[in-house]
Coordinates of all heavy atoms in Angstrom, one line a residue:
Q38 N -115.1 -54.8 111.0 CA -116.5 -54.4 111.0 C -117.1 -55.0 112.3 O -117.5 -56.2 112.4 CB -117.2 -55.1 109.8 CG -116.6 -54.6 108.5 CD -116.9 -53.2 108.1 OE1 -117.9 -52.6 108.6 NE2 -116.1 -52.6 107.2
I39 N -117.3 -54.1 113.3 CA -117.7 -54.6 114.6 C -119.0 -53.9 115.2 O -119.2 -53.8 116.4 CB -116.6 -54.4 115.7 CG1 -116.1 -53.0 115.7 CG2 -115.5 -55.4 115.3 CD1 -115.1 -52.7 116.8
S40 N -119.8 -53.3 114.3 CA -121.1 -52.7 114.7 C -122.2 -53.3 113.8 O -121.9 -54.2 113.0 CB -121.0 -51.2 114.5 OG -121.2 -50.9 113.1
N41 N -123.4 -52.9 114.1 CA -124.5 -53.4 113.3 C -124.6 -52.7 111.9 O -125.5 -53.0 111.1 CB -125.8 -53.3 114.0 CG -126.2 -51.9 114.3 OD1 -125.4 -51.0 114.6 ND2 -127.5 -51.6 114.2
T42 N -123.7 -51.8 111.6 CA -123.6 -51.2 110.3 C -122.3 -51.6 109.6 O -121.2 -51.5 110.1 CB -123.6 -49.6 110.5 OG1 -124.8 -49.3 111.1 CG2 -123.5 -49.0 109.1
L43 N -122.5 -52.1 108.4 CA -121.4 -52.5 107.5 C -121.0 -51.3 106.7 O -121.9 -50.7 106.1 CB -121.8 -53.7 106.6 CG -120.8 -54.1 105.6 CD1 -119.5 -54.6 106.2 CD2 -121.4 -55.1 104.7
Y44 N -119.8 -50.9 106.7 CA -119.3 -49.7 106.0 C -118.1 -50.0 105.2 O -117.1 -50.5 105.7 CB -119.0 -48.5 107.0 CG -118.5 -47.3 106.2 CD1 -119.4 -46.5 105.5 CD2 -117.2 -46.9 106.2 CE1 -118.9 -45.4 104.8 CE2 -116.7 -45.8 105.6 CZ -117.6 -45.0 104.9 OH -117.2 -43.9 104.2
I45 N -118.2 -49.8 103.9 CA -117.1 -50.0 102.9 C -116.9 -48.8 102.1 O -117.8 -48.4 101.4 CB -117.3 -51.2 102.0 CG1 -117.6 -52.5 102.8 CG2 -116.2 -51.4 101.0 CD1 -118.0 -53.7 102.0
E46 N -115.8 -48.1 102.3 CA -115.5 -46.9 101.6 C -115.0 -47.2 100.2 O -114.2 -48.1 100.1 CB -114.5 -46.0 102.4 CG -114.4 -44.6 101.8 CD -113.5 -43.7 102.7 OE1 -113.3 -44.1 103.9 OE2 -113.1 -42.7 102.2
N47 N -115.5 -46.5 99.2 CA -115.0 -46.7 97.8 C -115.1 -48.2 97.4 O -114.1 -48.8 97.0 CB -113.6 -46.2 97.6 CG -113.5 -44.7 97.9 OD1 -114.4 -43.9 97.6 ND2 -112.4 -44.3 98.6
A48 N -116.3 -48.7 97.5 CA -116.5 -50.2 97.2 C -116.1 -50.4 95.7 O -116.4 -49.6 94.8 CB -117.9 -50.6 97.5
S49 N -115.5 -51.6 95.5 CA -115.1 -51.9 94.1 C -115.5 -53.4 93.8 O -116.1 -54.0 94.7 CB -113.6 -51.8 93.9 OG -112.9 -52.7 94.8
Y50 N -115.1 -53.9 92.7 CA -115.5 -55.3 92.3 C -115.0 -56.3 93.3 O -115.6 -57.3 93.5 CB -114.9 -55.6 90.9 CG -115.7 -54.9 89.8 CD1 -115.1 -53.9 89.1 CD2 -117.0 -55.3 89.5 CE1 -115.8 -53.3 88.1 CE2 -117.7 -54.7 88.5 CZ -117.1 -53.7 87.8 OH -117.8 -53.0 86.8
D51 N -113.9 -56.0 94.0 CA -113.4 -56.9 95.0 C -114.3 -57.0 96.2 O -114.3 -58.0 97.0 CB -112.0 -56.4 95.6 CG -110.9 -56.5 94.5 OD1 -111.1 -57.3 93.6 OD2 -109.9 -55.8 94.6
N52 N -115.2 -56.0 96.4 CA -116.1 -56.1 97.5 C -117.4 -56.8 97.2 O -118.3 -57.0 98.1 CB -116.4 -54.6 98.0 CG -115.2 -53.9 98.4 OD1 -114.8 -52.9 97.8 ND2 -114.6 -54.4 99.5
Q53 N -117.6 -57.2 95.9 CA -118.8 -57.9 95.6 C -118.9 -59.2 96.3 O -117.8 -59.9 96.5 CB -118.9 -58.2 94.1 CG -119.1 -57.0 93.2 CD -119.3 -57.4 91.8 OE1 -120.3 -57.0 91.2 NE2 -118.4 -58.1 91.2
G54 N -120.0 -59.6 96.8 CA -120.2 -60.9 97.5 C -121.4 -60.9 98.4 O -122.2 -60.0 98.3
T55 N -121.4 -61.9 99.2 CA -122.6 -62.1 100.1 C -122.1 -61.8 101.5 O -121.2 -62.4 102.0 CB -123.1 -63.6 100.0 OG1 -123.4 -63.9 98.7 CG2 -124.3 -63.8 100.9
Y56 N -122.8 -60.8 102.1 CA -122.5 -60.4 103.5 C -123.6 -60.8 104.5 O -124.7 -60.9 104.2 CB -122.4 -58.8 103.5 CG -121.2 -58.3 102.8 CD1 -121.3 -58.1 101.4 CD2 -120.0 -58.0 103.4 CE1 -120.2 -57.6 100.7 CE2 -118.9 -57.6 102.8 CZ -119.0 -57.4 101.4 OH -117.9 -56.9 100.7
V57 N -123.1 -61.2 105.7 CA -124.0 -61.7 106.7 C -123.5 -61.1 108.0 O -122.3 -61.1 108.3 CB -123.9 -63.3 106.8 CG1 -124.7 -63.8 108.0 CG2 -124.5 -63.9 105.5
L58 N -124.4 -60.7 108.9 CA -124.1 -60.2 110.2 C -124.5 -61.3 111.2 O -125.6 -61.9 111.2 CB -124.9 -59.0 110.5 CG -124.8 -58.5 112.0 CD1 -123.4 -58.0 112.3 CD2 -125.8 -57.3 112.2
K59 N -123.5 -61.6 112.1 CA -123.8 -62.6 113.2 C -123.7 -61.8 114.5 O -122.7 -61.0 114.7 CB -122.8 -63.7 113.2 CG -122.9 -64.7 112.1 CD -122.0 -65.8 112.2 CE -122.2 -66.8 111.0 NZ -121.3 -67.9 111.1
V60 N -124.7 -61.9 115.4 CA -124.8 -61.2 116.6 C -124.8 -62.2 117.8 O -125.6 -63.1 117.8 CB -126.0 -60.3 116.7 CG1 -126.0 -59.5 118.0 CG2 -126.1 -59.4 115.5
T61 N -123.8 -62.0 118.7 CA -123.8 -62.8 120.0 C -124.0 -61.8 121.1 O -123.9 -60.6 120.9 CB -122.6 -63.6 120.1 OG1 -121.4 -62.8 120.0 CG2 -122.5 -64.7 119.0
N62 N -124.2 -62.3 122.3 CA -124.4 -61.5 123.4 C -123.6 -62.0 124.6 O -123.6 -63.2 124.9 CB -125.9 -61.4 123.8 CG -126.2 -60.4 124.8 OD1 -125.9 -60.5 126.0 ND2 -126.8 -59.3 124.4
T63 N -122.9 -61.1 125.3 CA -122.0 -61.5 126.4 C -122.8 -62.0 127.6 O -122.3 -62.8 128.4 CB -121.1 -60.4 126.9 OG1 -121.9 -59.3 127.2 CG2 -120.1 -60.0 125.8
N64 N -124.1 -61.6 127.8 CA -124.9 -62.1 128.9 C -125.7 -63.4 128.6 O -126.2 -64.0 129.5 CB -125.9 -61.0 129.3 CG -125.2 -59.9 130.1 OD1 -124.1 -60.1 130.5 ND2 -125.9 -58.8 130.2
V65 N -125.9 -63.7 127.3 CA -126.6 -64.9 126.8 C -125.7 -65.7 125.9 O -125.7 -65.5 124.7 CB -127.9 -64.5 126.1 CG1 -128.8 -65.7 125.8 CG2 -128.7 -63.5 126.9
S66 N -124.9 -66.6 126.5 CA -123.9 -67.2 125.8 C -124.3 -68.2 124.7 O -123.6 -68.4 123.7 CB -123.0 -68.0 126.8 OG -123.7 -69.0 127.5
D67 N -125.5 -68.7 124.8 CA -126.0 -69.7 123.8 C -126.7 -69.0 122.6 O -127.2 -69.6 121.7 CB -127.0 -70.7 124.4 CG -126.2 -71.6 125.4 OD1 -125.0 -71.7 125.3 OD2 -126.9 -72.2 126.2
L68 N -126.9 -67.7 122.7 CA -127.6 -66.9 121.6 C -126.7 -66.5 120.5 O -125.6 -65.9 120.7 CB -128.3 -65.7 122.2 CG -129.0 -64.8 121.3 CD1 -130.3 -65.5 120.8 CD2 -129.4 -63.5 122.0
E69 N -127.1 -66.9 119.3 CA -126.4 -66.3 118.1 C -127.5 -66.0 117.1 O -128.3 -66.9 116.6 CB -125.5 -67.4 117.5 CG -124.8 -66.8 116.2 CD -123.8 -67.8 115.6 OE1 -124.3 -68.7 114.9 OE2 -122.6 -67.6 115.8
L70 N -127.6 -64.7 116.7 CA -128.5 -64.3 115.6 C -127.7 -64.1 114.3 O -126.6 -63.6 114.3 CB -129.1 -63.0 116.0 CG -129.9 -62.9 117.4 CD1 -130.3 -61.5 117.7 CD2 -131.1 -63.9 117.3
V71 N -128.3 -64.6 113.2 CA -127.6 -64.5 111.9 C -128.6 -63.9 111.0 O -129.8 -64.3 110.8 CB -127.2 -65.9 111.4 CG1 -126.6 -65.8 110.1 CG2 -126.3 -66.6 112.4
S72 N -128.2 -62.8 110.3 CA -129.0 -62.1 109.3 C -129.2 -62.9 108.1 O -128.5 -63.9 107.8 CB -128.4 -60.8 109.0 OG -127.2 -61.0 108.2
Y73 N -130.2 -62.4 107.3 CA -130.3 -62.9 105.9 C -129.1 -62.4 105.1 O -128.4 -61.5 105.5 CB -131.6 -62.5 105.3 CG -132.8 -63.1 105.8 CD1 -133.6 -62.5 106.7 CD2 -133.2 -64.4 105.4 CE1 -134.8 -63.2 107.2 CE2 -134.3 -65.0 105.8 CZ -135.1 -64.4 106.8 OH -136.2 -65.0 107.3
D74 N -128.9 -63.0 103.9 CA -127.8 -62.6 103.1 C -128.1 -61.2 102.5 O -129.2 -60.9 102.1 CB -127.6 -63.6 101.9 CG -127.1 -64.9 102.4 OD1 -126.8 -65.1 103.5 OD2 -127.2 -65.9 101.5
A75 N -127.0 -60.4 102.4 CA -127.0 -59.2 101.6 C -126.1 -59.3 100.5 O -124.8 -59.4 100.7 CB -126.7 -58.0 102.5
E76 N -126.5 -59.4 99.3 CA -125.7 -59.6 98.1 C -125.3 -58.3 97.5 O -126.2 -57.5 97.1 CB -126.5 -60.4 97.1 CG -125.7 -60.7 95.8 CD -124.8 -61.8 95.9 OE1 -124.9 -62.7 96.8 OE2 -123.8 -61.8 95.1
L77 N -124.0 -57.9 97.6 CA -123.5 -56.7 97.0 C -123.0 -56.8 95.6 O -122.2 -57.7 95.4 CB -122.4 -56.1 97.9 CG -121.7 -54.8 97.4 CD1 -122.7 -53.7 97.3 CD2 -120.6 -54.5 98.3
S78 N -123.6 -56.0 94.7 CA -123.1 -56.0 93.3 C -122.7 -54.6 93.0 O -123.3 -53.6 93.4 CB -124.3 -56.4 92.4 OG -124.6 -57.7 92.5
I79 N -121.6 -54.5 92.3 CA -121.0 -53.2 91.8 C -121.4 -53.0 90.4 O -121.2 -53.9 89.6 CB -119.5 -53.2 92.0 CG1 -119.1 -53.5 93.4 CG2 -118.9 -51.9 91.5 CD1 -119.5 -52.5 94.4
I80 N -121.9 -51.8 90.1 CA -122.3 -51.5 88.7 C -121.5 -50.4 88.2 O -121.1 -49.5 89.0 CB -123.8 -51.2 88.6 CG1 -124.3 -50.1 89.5 CG2 -124.7 -52.5 88.9 CD1 -125.7 -49.7 89.3
T81 N -121.2 -50.4 86.9 CA -120.4 -49.3 86.3 C -121.2 -48.5 85.3 O -120.8 -47.5 84.9 CB -119.2 -49.9 85.6 OG1 -119.7 -50.8 84.6 CG2 -118.3 -50.6 86.5
G82 N -122.4 -48.9 85.0 CA -123.2 -48.2 84.0 C -123.7 -49.2 82.9 O -123.4 -50.4 83.0
I83 N -124.3 -48.6 81.9 CA -124.8 -49.5 80.8 C -123.6 -49.8 79.8 O -123.0 -48.8 79.3 CB -125.9 -48.8 80.1 CG1 -127.1 -48.6 81.1 CG2 -126.4 -49.6 78.9 CD1 -128.2 -47.8 80.6
E84 N -123.4 -51.0 79.5 CA -122.4 -51.4 78.6 C -123.1 -51.8 77.3 O -124.1 -52.6 77.3 CB -121.6 -52.5 79.1 CG -120.8 -52.1 80.3 CD -119.9 -53.2 80.8 OE1 -119.6 -54.2 80.0 OE2 -119.5 -53.2 82.0
E85 N -122.6 -51.3 76.2 CA -123.3 -51.6 74.9 C -123.0 -53.0 74.4 O -123.9 -53.7 73.9 CB -122.9 -50.5 73.9 CG -123.4 -49.2 74.4 CD -123.7 -48.3 73.2 OE1 -123.7 -48.8 72.1 OE2 -124.0 -47.1 73.5
D86 N -121.8 -53.4 74.4 CA -121.5 -54.7 73.9 C -121.4 -55.7 75.0 O -120.5 -55.7 75.8 CB -120.2 -54.7 73.0 CG -119.1 -54.0 73.7 OD1 -119.3 -53.0 74.4 OD2 -117.9 -54.4 73.5
V87 N -122.3 -56.7 75.0 CA -122.3 -57.7 76.1 C -121.8 -59.0 75.5 O -122.3 -59.5 74.5 CB -123.8 -57.8 76.6 CG1 -123.9 -59.0 77.6 CG2 -124.3 -56.5 77.2
I88 N -120.8 -59.5 76.1 CA -120.2 -60.8 75.7 C -121.1 -62.0 76.1 O -121.3 -62.9 75.3 CB -118.8 -60.9 76.2 CG1 -117.9 -59.8 75.7 CG2 -118.2 -62.3 75.8 CD1 -116.6 -59.7 76.4

Side-chain angles (χ1 to χ4, degrees):
Q38 301 289 339
I39 56 171
S40 77
N41 63 320
T42 298
L43 175 64
Y44 178 74
I45 302 171
E46 189 172 345
N47 300 322
S49 66
Y50 288 109
D51 292 339
N52 300 114
Q53 290 187 127
T55 303
Y56 291 85
V57 173
L58 174 64
K59 291 185 181 179
V60 182
T61 55
N62 188 288
T63 57
N64 286 347
V65 187
S66 60
D67 293 340
L68 177 68
E69 180 181 77
L70 303 174
V71 180
S72 71
Y73 287 101
D74 293 350
E76 179 79 25
L77 175 61
S78 291
I79 304 296
I80 57 176
T81 57
I83 298 172
E84 296 183 21
E85 297 211 5
D86 47 327
V87 176
I88 298 169

